């Protein structure tokens, strides 16, 4: 039992620094967008149901 109302755990520096390591190695390099990169949105995808692709400026909420 803890003498305080809440307990605190610690993690090693290795665990702390490695937890997001795969993000920078593969995910970010593959999926990041840089200035002026082209991309596309599939308005038939249910996540983009609020998009109206008939407009000149398309504003979407991804759900």
């Amino acid at each position: 039992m803890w003498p305080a109302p809440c307990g605190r755990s610690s993690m090693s520096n290795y665990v702390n620094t490695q937890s997001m390591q795969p993000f920078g190695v593969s995910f970010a390099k593959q999926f990041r967008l840089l200035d002026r990169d082209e991309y596309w949105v599939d308005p038939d995808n249910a996540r983009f149901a609020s998009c109206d692709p008939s407009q000149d400026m398309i504003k979407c909420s991804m759900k």
Side-chain angles (χ1 to χ4, degrees), residues 40-51 61-63:
W40 57 273
V41 173
D42 180 4
D44 287 331
N45 187 319
R47 292 180 295 174
F48 297 105
S50 67
C51 296
S61 295
M62 187 173 157
K63 298 177 181 176

